[in-house]
Amino acid sequence: MGHMPNWLLFIIGFVTACLVFADVTREIGFINKHYPLKTVIADLHYPVFKIPFPEIIICNKNRLNWQRYNEAKQKFLQQRHWTPKHEQLFIDTLNAYDTLSFGKFDNFGNISNLYPPILLNELNYLNFSVVVKFMAWQCQEIFSECFWLNRPYDCCDIFSLRKSSKGFCLAFNSMETEEGKRRGKNDPYYPWRSWGRGSRHGLKLRIFPRIHQHSPGSVETKGIMMMLVEPYVWSYIGNEIGVNTRAMDELESMFYKSLINHRYMFENCQAECQQEYLLKFCNCTVDIFFPPDKYRACRLSDLPCLYKHNDFLQVFEQLGEHEYVTQHVKGMACPCFYNCKSLSYFTDIRQENLGNKAELEANETEIRLEVYFLWETIKLYETTAVYTLIDLMASLGGLASLCIGCSLVGVMELLYFLFLNVPKRIVLCSIAARRVKSIPKKMVKTKKVLFHKITPAMPLNKRRSA
């Protein structure tokens, strides 16, 4: 059996190398397109003092102090409208705002169904956002005995009133209020941080919901709502805590639009998206849920519109969910992307009843709240691209060198040969051909080469011997 020719071995090896190079390159391209990111644990013991303590937003579940109702009526409702039907509309609207949060616009059902539009237009001069702020709870009314890092503070020095997705609430360690912004400029350590775990390294306070000062028409369960958000985040989902309890909140931290004058954050993008849907459906915004902006605030005549679209406004539609969920619910589609650096505070709420009733104020329900970190360290996750531009060049370059012996120098030599050397040779050959054609045939001489057979001479010593 004969040996395989060298040229055939070369062709088989070259074709095999090219197939391997093409297949692996296809896999790299697929990963780069469909799985562009990877998440790894960057640090298992990242200290909590390197991250800010969360902003703590506390809302009474009944957001209005009804003892200020008569004062609010005299201050905001024109005297010519001190009639039974106008006053009842004023009361029903405040009752709706008393437990209002974004996505609960069904609170305006009575206003939409019981009152004619002409009556709503008569009170359209009222800005209920201003009325609600006037009747909102103040820190001295529901807070007492505030401790931060086991040091006593005046509650009104560390809590301030702010807007949120639940309306007007009281916030600690906030950068959203004027007081927080001033403190951030003057205090280099603000927003504050905690350097340890346990209640001695967190926030403690007593909260009194003041049930006897709630609206007579309120049927909601009593208690507070608490939100924990990263500083510079506008709002987030709240946790509810019942009355006469002691709560310990143990934390484990781990389309580009944003609210006006706010840095881009995923939650801020969602809040701006919510506001845009309000403008789309009702051409106004419920400004108790958002920071000050140029948009028109909803008035009394706009509330039926909010009630009409409540089913749509209370749901975030996740992009692509209709491909997997049979009962697709239409909702707000907000194509927001997670920001590059963010904190997630995972809460573990533990509640226990207060045993010693003698400690409670007379005829008052009480909540004792403690918020602190559960651990002194956290896990730090880092998400990066699987293939950056440099990684992609290194992978493809190494693969090309391994499979087909190609390098950047070789590519440059090939390009030089194809685009400089070859054209130059073609031009020179064409010039030489034209010169040959221009010479007359009679001047062209052929050279004859003569071959002579030379017989070598016999050496002299051999001649003599012969």
Side-chain angles (χ1 to χ4, degrees), residues 191-218:
W192 291 328
R193 304 177 182 222
S194 173
W195 61 81
R197 63 176 182 171
S199 60
R200 292 176 57 86
H201 297 93
L203 176 71
K204 295 189 293 185
L205 70 156
R206 297 173 68 188
I207 306 172
F208 300 93
R210 309 295 187 195
I211 296 176
H212 63 280
Q213 297 179 20
H214 292 181
S215 167
S218 173

PDB file of all heavy atoms in Angstrom, residues 191-218:
ATOM      1  N   PRO A 191     -25.159  60.018  54.123  1.00  0.00           N
ATOM      2  CA  PRO A 191     -26.022  59.205  54.968  1.00  0.00           C
ATOM      3  C   PRO A 191     -25.215  58.353  55.968  1.00  0.00           C
ATOM      4  O   PRO A 191     -24.153  57.848  55.648  1.00  0.00           O
ATOM      5  CB  PRO A 191     -26.767  58.307  53.966  1.00  0.00           C
ATOM      6  CG  PRO A 191     -26.657  58.983  52.648  1.00  0.00           C
ATOM      7  CD  PRO A 191     -25.342  59.692  52.687  1.00  0.00           C
ATOM      8  N   TRP A 192     -25.772  58.223  57.166  1.00  0.00           N
ATOM      9  CA  TRP A 192     -25.081  57.556  58.248  1.00  0.00           C
ATOM     10  C   TRP A 192     -24.890  56.066  57.982  1.00  0.00           C
ATOM     11  O   TRP A 192     -25.608  55.460  57.185  1.00  0.00           O
ATOM     12  CB  TRP A 192     -25.852  57.754  59.554  1.00  0.00           C
ATOM     13  CG  TRP A 192     -25.805  59.169  60.036  1.00  0.00           C
ATOM     14  CD1 TRP A 192     -24.785  60.044  59.871  1.00  0.00           C
ATOM     15  CD2 TRP A 192     -26.820  59.861  60.766  1.00  0.00           C
ATOM     16  NE1 TRP A 192     -25.082  61.250  60.463  1.00  0.00           N
ATOM     17  CE2 TRP A 192     -26.340  61.170  61.016  1.00  0.00           C
ATOM     18  CE3 TRP A 192     -28.083  59.522  61.230  1.00  0.00           C
ATOM     19  CZ2 TRP A 192     -27.086  62.114  61.704  1.00  0.00           C
ATOM     20  CZ3 TRP A 192     -28.824  60.463  61.920  1.00  0.00           C
ATOM     21  CH2 TRP A 192     -28.319  61.748  62.154  1.00  0.00           C
ATOM     22  N   ARG A 193     -23.906  55.506  58.693  1.00  0.00           N
ATOM     23  CA  ARG A 193     -23.585  54.090  58.557  1.00  0.00           C
ATOM     24  C   ARG A 193     -23.499  53.455  59.938  1.00  0.00           C
ATOM     25  O   ARG A 193     -23.326  54.137  60.942  1.00  0.00           O
ATOM     26  CB  ARG A 193     -22.267  53.898  57.806  1.00  0.00           C
ATOM     27  CG  ARG A 193     -22.284  54.571  56.444  1.00  0.00           C
ATOM     28  CD  ARG A 193     -20.974  54.458  55.714  1.00  0.00           C
ATOM     29  NE  ARG A 193     -21.030  55.170  54.436  1.00  0.00           N
ATOM     30  CZ  ARG A 193     -20.528  54.722  53.307  1.00  0.00           C
ATOM     31  NH1 ARG A 193     -19.903  53.566  53.279  1.00  0.00           N
ATOM     32  NH2 ARG A 193     -20.636  55.418  52.199  1.00  0.00           N
ATOM     33  N   SER A 194     -23.606  52.152  59.950  1.00  0.00           N
ATOM     34  CA  SER A 194     -23.462  51.384  61.184  1.00  0.00           C
ATOM     35  C   SER A 194     -22.213  50.511  61.074  1.00  0.00           C
ATOM     36  O   SER A 194     -21.902  49.995  60.000  1.00  0.00           O
ATOM     37  CB  SER A 194     -24.700  50.503  61.413  1.00  0.00           C
ATOM     38  OG  SER A 194     -24.498  49.647  62.513  1.00  0.00           O
ATOM     39  N   TRP A 195     -21.489  50.362  62.171  1.00  0.00           N
ATOM     40  CA  TRP A 195     -20.241  49.591  62.118  1.00  0.00           C
ATOM     41  C   TRP A 195     -20.368  48.208  62.755  1.00  0.00           C
ATOM     42  O   TRP A 195     -19.382  47.510  62.913  1.00  0.00           O
ATOM     43  CB  TRP A 195     -19.111  50.349  62.797  1.00  0.00           C
ATOM     44  CG  TRP A 195     -19.344  50.622  64.255  1.00  0.00           C
ATOM     45  CD1 TRP A 195     -19.147  49.763  65.291  1.00  0.00           C
ATOM     46  CD2 TRP A 195     -19.808  51.838  64.825  1.00  0.00           C
ATOM     47  NE1 TRP A 195     -19.454  50.369  66.483  1.00  0.00           N
ATOM     48  CE2 TRP A 195     -19.864  51.659  66.231  1.00  0.00           C
ATOM     49  CE3 TRP A 195     -20.185  53.071  64.310  1.00  0.00           C
ATOM     50  CZ2 TRP A 195     -20.290  52.653  67.096  1.00  0.00           C
ATOM     51  CZ3 TRP A 195     -20.598  54.064  65.173  1.00  0.00           C
ATOM     52  CH2 TRP A 195     -20.648  53.845  66.544  1.00  0.00           C
ATOM     53  N   GLY A 196     -21.581  47.818  63.121  1.00  0.00           N
ATOM     54  CA  GLY A 196     -21.728  46.511  63.755  1.00  0.00           C
ATOM     55  C   GLY A 196     -23.122  45.959  63.564  1.00  0.00           C
ATOM     56  O   GLY A 196     -23.916  46.443  62.778  1.00  0.00           O
ATOM     57  N   ARG A 197     -23.412  44.910  64.307  1.00  0.00           N
ATOM     58  CA  ARG A 197     -24.701  44.242  64.221  1.00  0.00           C
ATOM     59  C   ARG A 197     -25.413  44.348  65.562  1.00  0.00           C
ATOM     60  O   ARG A 197     -24.822  44.689  66.592  1.00  0.00           O
ATOM     61  CB  ARG A 197     -24.510  42.772  63.857  1.00  0.00           C
ATOM     62  CG  ARG A 197     -23.741  41.976  64.901  1.00  0.00           C
ATOM     63  CD  ARG A 197     -23.680  40.517  64.536  1.00  0.00           C
ATOM     64  NE  ARG A 197     -22.978  39.744  65.554  1.00  0.00           N
ATOM     65  CZ  ARG A 197     -22.925  38.417  65.578  1.00  0.00           C
ATOM     66  NH1 ARG A 197     -23.527  37.733  64.620  1.00  0.00           N
ATOM     67  NH2 ARG A 197     -22.266  37.796  66.518  1.00  0.00           N
ATOM     68  N   GLY A 198     -26.713  44.020  65.559  1.00  0.00           N
ATOM     69  CA  GLY A 198     -27.489  44.039  66.788  1.00  0.00           C
ATOM     70  C   GLY A 198     -28.131  45.390  67.041  1.00  0.00           C
ATOM     71  O   GLY A 198     -27.821  46.401  66.401  1.00  0.00           O
ATOM     72  N   SER A 199     -29.045  45.420  67.995  1.00  0.00           N
ATOM     73  CA  SER A 199     -29.843  46.618  68.258  1.00  0.00           C
ATOM     74  C   SER A 199     -29.005  47.791  68.756  1.00  0.00           C
ATOM     75  O   SER A 199     -29.404  48.951  68.607  1.00  0.00           O
ATOM     76  CB  SER A 199     -30.941  46.299  69.275  1.00  0.00           C
ATOM     77  OG  SER A 199     -30.372  45.841  70.495  1.00  0.00           O
ATOM     78  N   ARG A 200     -27.843  47.536  69.358  1.00  0.00           N
ATOM     79  CA  ARG A 200     -26.977  48.632  69.813  1.00  0.00           C
ATOM     80  C   ARG A 200     -26.356  49.397  68.637  1.00  0.00           C
ATOM     81  O   ARG A 200     -25.861  50.493  68.812  1.00  0.00           O
ATOM     82  CB  ARG A 200     -25.863  48.082  70.721  1.00  0.00           C
ATOM     83  CG  ARG A 200     -26.338  47.557  72.048  1.00  0.00           C
ATOM     84  CD  ARG A 200     -25.186  46.957  72.833  1.00  0.00           C
ATOM     85  NE  ARG A 200     -24.112  47.931  73.032  1.00  0.00           N
ATOM     86  CZ  ARG A 200     -24.057  48.809  74.030  1.00  0.00           C
ATOM     87  NH1 ARG A 200     -25.031  48.828  74.929  1.00  0.00           N
ATOM     88  NH2 ARG A 200     -23.046  49.641  74.145  1.00  0.00           N
ATOM     89  N   HIS A 201     -26.373  48.804  67.458  1.00  0.00           N
ATOM     90  CA  HIS A 201     -25.776  49.429  66.286  1.00  0.00           C
ATOM     91  C   HIS A 201     -26.833  49.735  65.225  1.00  0.00           C
ATOM     92  O   HIS A 201     -26.560  49.675  64.024  1.00  0.00           O
ATOM     93  CB  HIS A 201     -24.697  48.525  65.687  1.00  0.00           C
ATOM     94  CG  HIS A 201     -23.557  48.280  66.612  1.00  0.00           C
ATOM     95  ND1 HIS A 201     -23.515  47.187  67.463  1.00  0.00           N
ATOM     96  CD2 HIS A 201     -22.415  48.973  66.845  1.00  0.00           C
ATOM     97  CE1 HIS A 201     -22.402  47.219  68.163  1.00  0.00           C
ATOM     98  NE2 HIS A 201     -21.713  48.287  67.817  1.00  0.00           N
ATOM     99  N   GLY A 202     -28.031  50.066  65.680  1.00  0.00           N
ATOM    100  CA  GLY A 202     -29.105  50.367  64.744  1.00  0.00           C
ATOM    101  C   GLY A 202     -30.003  51.470  65.261  1.00  0.00           C
ATOM    102  O   GLY A 202     -29.607  52.301  66.082  1.00  0.00           O
ATOM    103  N   LEU A 203     -31.248  51.468  64.783  1.00  0.00           N
ATOM    104  CA  LEU A 203     -32.241  52.490  65.139  1.00  0.00           C
ATOM    105  C   LEU A 203     -33.303  51.869  66.023  1.00  0.00           C
ATOM    106  O   LEU A 203     -33.794  50.773  65.745  1.00  0.00           O
ATOM    107  CB  LEU A 203     -32.877  53.046  63.853  1.00  0.00           C
ATOM    108  CG  LEU A 203     -34.010  54.053  64.043  1.00  0.00           C
ATOM    109  CD1 LEU A 203     -33.475  55.380  64.569  1.00  0.00           C
ATOM    110  CD2 LEU A 203     -34.748  54.261  62.728  1.00  0.00           C
ATOM    111  N   LYS A 204     -33.652  52.572  67.094  1.00  0.00           N
ATOM    112  CA  LYS A 204     -34.724  52.147  67.981  1.00  0.00           C
ATOM    113  C   LYS A 204     -35.632  53.339  68.253  1.00  0.00           C
ATOM    114  O   LYS A 204     -35.160  54.460  68.434  1.00  0.00           O
ATOM    115  CB  LYS A 204     -34.168  51.606  69.313  1.00  0.00           C
ATOM    116  CG  LYS A 204     -33.353  50.340  69.190  1.00  0.00           C
ATOM    117  CD  LYS A 204     -33.009  49.744  70.544  1.00  0.00           C
ATOM    118  CE  LYS A 204     -32.066  50.636  71.339  1.00  0.00           C
ATOM    119  NZ  LYS A 204     -31.652  49.989  72.610  1.00  0.00           N
ATOM    120  N   LEU A 205     -36.942  53.079  68.302  1.00  0.00           N
ATOM    121  CA  LEU A 205     -37.891  54.141  68.643  1.00  0.00           C
ATOM    122  C   LEU A 205     -39.226  53.535  69.038  1.00  0.00           C
ATOM    123  O   LEU A 205     -39.495  52.353  68.770  1.00  0.00           O
ATOM    124  CB  LEU A 205     -38.084  55.105  67.477  1.00  0.00           C
ATOM    125  CG  LEU A 205     -38.844  54.610  66.234  1.00  0.00           C
ATOM    126  CD1 LEU A 205     -39.439  55.793  65.487  1.00  0.00           C
ATOM    127  CD2 LEU A 205     -37.923  53.838  65.306  1.00  0.00           C
ATOM    128  N   ARG A 206     -40.045  54.351  69.665  1.00  0.00           N
ATOM    129  CA  ARG A 206     -41.426  53.987  70.011  1.00  0.00           C
ATOM    130  C   ARG A 206     -42.356  54.756  69.095  1.00  0.00           C
ATOM    131  O   ARG A 206     -42.173  55.953  68.842  1.00  0.00           O
ATOM    132  CB  ARG A 206     -41.724  54.307  71.472  1.00  0.00           C
ATOM    133  CG  ARG A 206     -40.872  53.523  72.465  1.00  0.00           C
ATOM    134  CD  ARG A 206     -41.097  54.020  73.881  1.00  0.00           C
ATOM    135  NE  ARG A 206     -42.439  53.713  74.359  1.00  0.00           N
ATOM    136  CZ  ARG A 206     -42.949  54.160  75.512  1.00  0.00           C
ATOM    137  NH1 ARG A 206     -42.222  54.972  76.285  1.00  0.00           N
ATOM    138  NH2 ARG A 206     -44.166  53.831  75.888  1.00  0.00           N
ATOM    139  N   ILE A 207     -43.381  54.048  68.589  1.00  0.00           N
ATOM    140  CA  ILE A 207     -44.324  54.638  67.638  1.00  0.00           C
ATOM    141  C   ILE A 207     -45.723  54.468  68.200  1.00  0.00           C
ATOM    142  O   ILE A 207     -46.105  53.383  68.655  1.00  0.00           O
ATOM    143  CB  ILE A 207     -44.224  53.958  66.256  1.00  0.00           C
ATOM    144  CG1 ILE A 207     -42.781  53.987  65.749  1.00  0.00           C
ATOM    145  CG2 ILE A 207     -45.145  54.632  65.248  1.00  0.00           C
ATOM    146  CD1 ILE A 207     -42.556  53.181  64.494  1.00  0.00           C
ATOM    147  N   PHE A 208     -46.517  55.540  68.141  1.00  0.00           N
ATOM    148  CA  PHE A 208     -47.897  55.533  68.629  1.00  0.00           C
ATOM    149  C   PHE A 208     -48.826  55.886  67.463  1.00  0.00           C
ATOM    150  O   PHE A 208     -48.866  57.041  67.026  1.00  0.00           O
ATOM    151  CB  PHE A 208     -48.078  56.538  69.769  1.00  0.00           C
ATOM    152  CG  PHE A 208     -47.197  56.251  70.946  1.00  0.00           C
ATOM    153  CD1 PHE A 208     -45.948  56.864  71.052  1.00  0.00           C
ATOM    154  CD2 PHE A 208     -47.595  55.367  71.938  1.00  0.00           C
ATOM    155  CE1 PHE A 208     -45.125  56.608  72.131  1.00  0.00           C
ATOM    156  CE2 PHE A 208     -46.773  55.107  73.023  1.00  0.00           C
ATOM    157  CZ  PHE A 208     -45.541  55.718  73.129  1.00  0.00           C
ATOM    158  N   PRO A 209     -49.562  54.915  66.918  1.00  0.00           N
ATOM    159  CA  PRO A 209     -50.431  55.204  65.765  1.00  0.00           C
ATOM    160  C   PRO A 209     -51.572  56.164  66.055  1.00  0.00           C
ATOM    161  O   PRO A 209     -52.180  56.691  65.113  1.00  0.00           O
ATOM    162  CB  PRO A 209     -50.970  53.810  65.383  1.00  0.00           C
ATOM    163  CG  PRO A 209     -49.964  52.850  65.938  1.00  0.00           C
ATOM    164  CD  PRO A 209     -49.468  53.482  67.199  1.00  0.00           C
ATOM    165  N   ARG A 210     -51.908  56.406  67.307  1.00  0.00           N
ATOM    166  CA  ARG A 210     -52.963  57.351  67.702  1.00  0.00           C
ATOM    167  C   ARG A 210     -54.289  57.000  67.025  1.00  0.00           C
ATOM    168  O   ARG A 210     -54.852  57.787  66.252  1.00  0.00           O
ATOM    169  CB  ARG A 210     -52.574  58.789  67.354  1.00  0.00           C
ATOM    170  CG  ARG A 210     -51.197  59.227  67.833  1.00  0.00           C
ATOM    171  CD  ARG A 210     -51.082  59.275  69.321  1.00  0.00           C
ATOM    172  NE  ARG A 210     -49.809  59.863  69.738  1.00  0.00           N
ATOM    173  CZ  ARG A 210     -49.318  59.782  70.969  1.00  0.00           C
ATOM    174  NH1 ARG A 210     -49.991  59.131  71.920  1.00  0.00           N
ATOM    175  NH2 ARG A 210     -48.167  60.342  71.278  1.00  0.00           N
ATOM    176  N   ILE A 211     -54.798  55.826  67.358  1.00  0.00           N
ATOM    177  CA  ILE A 211     -56.002  55.330  66.687  1.00  0.00           C
ATOM    178  C   ILE A 211     -57.199  56.235  66.933  1.00  0.00           C
ATOM    179  O   ILE A 211     -58.048  56.430  66.043  1.00  0.00           O
ATOM    180  CB  ILE A 211     -56.290  53.887  67.158  1.00  0.00           C
ATOM    181  CG1 ILE A 211     -55.153  52.960  66.711  1.00  0.00           C
ATOM    182  CG2 ILE A 211     -57.618  53.380  66.621  1.00  0.00           C
ATOM    183  CD1 ILE A 211     -55.296  51.539  67.198  1.00  0.00           C
ATOM    184  N   HIS A 212     -57.300  56.822  68.108  1.00  0.00           N
ATOM    185  CA  HIS A 212     -58.453  57.677  68.414  1.00  0.00           C
ATOM    186  C   HIS A 212     -58.449  58.978  67.605  1.00  0.00           C
ATOM    187  O   HIS A 212     -59.450  59.701  67.617  1.00  0.00           O
ATOM    188  CB  HIS A 212     -58.487  58.004  69.915  1.00  0.00           C
ATOM    189  CG  HIS A 212     -57.305  58.791  70.381  1.00  0.00           C
ATOM    190  ND1 HIS A 212     -56.085  58.203  70.658  1.00  0.00           N
ATOM    191  CD2 HIS A 212     -57.151  60.122  70.608  1.00  0.00           C
ATOM    192  CE1 HIS A 212     -55.241  59.137  71.057  1.00  0.00           C
ATOM    193  NE2 HIS A 212     -55.840  60.309  71.027  1.00  0.00           N
ATOM    194  N   GLN A 213     -57.359  59.276  66.911  1.00  0.00           N
ATOM    195  CA  GLN A 213     -57.304  60.474  66.074  1.00  0.00           C
ATOM    196  C   GLN A 213     -57.462  60.140  64.589  1.00  0.00           C
ATOM    197  O   GLN A 213     -57.233  60.994  63.733  1.00  0.00           O
ATOM    198  CB  GLN A 213     -55.976  61.200  66.295  1.00  0.00           C
ATOM    199  CG  GLN A 213     -55.791  61.697  67.716  1.00  0.00           C
ATOM    200  CD  GLN A 213     -54.448  62.391  67.924  1.00  0.00           C
ATOM    201  OE1 GLN A 213     -53.812  62.836  66.978  1.00  0.00           O
ATOM    202  NE2 GLN A 213     -54.021  62.482  69.178  1.00  0.00           N
ATOM    203  N   HIS A 214     -57.848  58.890  64.272  1.00  0.00           N
ATOM    204  CA  HIS A 214     -58.063  58.505  62.886  1.00  0.00           C
ATOM    205  C   HIS A 214     -59.451  58.938  62.426  1.00  0.00           C
ATOM    206  O   HIS A 214     -60.310  59.313  63.226  1.00  0.00           O
ATOM    207  CB  HIS A 214     -57.913  56.992  62.719  1.00  0.00           C
ATOM    208  CG  HIS A 214     -56.511  56.518  62.933  1.00  0.00           C
ATOM    209  ND1 HIS A 214     -56.136  55.189  62.813  1.00  0.00           N
ATOM    210  CD2 HIS A 214     -55.364  57.172  63.248  1.00  0.00           C
ATOM    211  CE1 HIS A 214     -54.845  55.056  63.047  1.00  0.00           C
ATOM    212  NE2 HIS A 214     -54.361  56.251  63.336  1.00  0.00           N
ATOM    213  N   SER A 215     -59.690  58.831  61.131  1.00  0.00           N
ATOM    214  CA  SER A 215     -60.981  59.193  60.558  1.00  0.00           C
ATOM    215  C   SER A 215     -62.079  58.277  61.097  1.00  0.00           C
ATOM    216  O   SER A 215     -61.882  57.055  61.195  1.00  0.00           O
ATOM    217  CB  SER A 215     -60.923  59.073  59.035  1.00  0.00           C
ATOM    218  OG  SER A 215     -62.215  59.132  58.479  1.00  0.00           O
ATOM    219  N   PRO A 216     -63.235  58.840  61.442  1.00  0.00           N
ATOM    220  CA  PRO A 216     -64.345  57.992  61.915  1.00  0.00           C
ATOM    221  C   PRO A 216     -64.807  56.997  60.868  1.00  0.00           C
ATOM    222  O   PRO A 216     -65.349  55.944  61.208  1.00  0.00           O
ATOM    223  CB  PRO A 216     -65.445  59.012  62.242  1.00  0.00           C
ATOM    224  CG  PRO A 216     -64.740  60.316  62.413  1.00  0.00           C
ATOM    225  CD  PRO A 216     -63.564  60.269  61.506  1.00  0.00           C
ATOM    226  N   GLY A 217     -64.576  57.319  59.583  1.00  0.00           N
ATOM    227  CA  GLY A 217     -65.024  56.419  58.522  1.00  0.00           C
ATOM    228  C   GLY A 217     -63.984  55.404  58.109  1.00  0.00           C
ATOM    229  O   GLY A 217     -64.199  54.645  57.150  1.00  0.00           O
ATOM    230  N   SER A 218     -62.848  55.335  58.799  1.00  0.00           N
ATOM    231  CA  SER A 218     -61.790  54.425  58.415  1.00  0.00           C
ATOM    232  C   SER A 218     -62.106  52.998  58.860  1.00  0.00           C
ATOM    233  O   SER A 218     -62.475  52.764  60.006  1.00  0.00           O
ATOM    234  CB  SER A 218     -60.459  54.871  59.031  1.00  0.00           C
ATOM    235  OG  SER A 218     -59.457  53.913  58.792  1.00  0.00           O
TER     236      SER A 218
END
